[in-house]
Amino acid sequence: MKKSEIRFSIALDDQKIPEAISWSATDAGPDIHFAKAMNISIWDREQTGTMKIDLWTKDMPVDEMKRFYVDMIGSMAESIINATSDEFMGAKLRAVGRELAQHLEREEQERK
């Protein structure tokens, strides 16, 4: 059986606030990649529930954080369709993603 590892490294300041997030994966080559935020969700089979980790660096701007979550909603729409073939749920998630993307566009226009 082939195995793959994903490793995350979080650099914290004195108040334990993330300053840097880096990751590497055996299937992503030898490079270390950097991120401003991460969201990991895992289905725990024993507790039949979701366990999650949300981290972001202190230099992650609010507008990028909002875009990050909108992008994740779009990814969830595709994932639910691929995993379950449930087009209804996928369409609902896509609609929410579009609505939130439009909201972000309006916010951006108001800032200009």
Side-chain angles (χ1 to χ4, degrees):
M1 173 189 327
K2 182 180 185 316
K3 289 188 177 185
S4 181
E5 287 189 17
I6 302 170
R7 294 176 185 240
F8 294 95
S9 179
I10 314 301
L12 304 173
D13 68 10
D14 292 339
Q15 286 78 43
K16 298 186 180 178
I17 297 173
E19 288 188 319
I21 299 170
S22 62
W23 65 274
S24 62
T26 53
D27 288 348
D31 295 339
I32 295 175
H33 306 274
F34 293 90
K36 289 184 182 177
M38 62 186 266
N39 176 284
I40 301 171
S41 297
I42 300 169
W43 184 259
D44 186 288
R45 65 179 169 181
E46 291 178 15
Q47 296 189 18
T48 59
T50 303
M51 300 177 75
K52 55 188 253 151
I53 300 169
D54 294 311
L55 291 175
W56 55 91
T57 60
K58 54 186 168 184
D59 69 336
M60 177 74 163
V62 170
D63 60 328
E64 286 184 25
M65 180 61 80
K66 290 179 180 183
R67 180 64 61 188
F68 176 56
Y69 279 98
V70 170
D71 286 350
M72 283 193 299
I73 290 169
S75 293
M76 285 191 304
E78 297 309 310
S79 293
I80 194 72
I81 292 169
N82 291 335
T84 68
S85 299
D86 191 327
E87 293 287 339
F88 178 81
M89 285 185 72
K92 289 291 188 181
L93 283 169
R94 283 186 187 127
V96 168
R98 276 193 302 274
E99 183 178 341
L100 292 173
Q102 291 168 353
H103 168 71
L104 294 181
E105 289 172 17
R106 285 191 301 272
E107 279 189 345
E108 186 177 311
Q109 291 299 320
E110 290 172 5
R111 282 195 300 267
K112 290 183 179 180

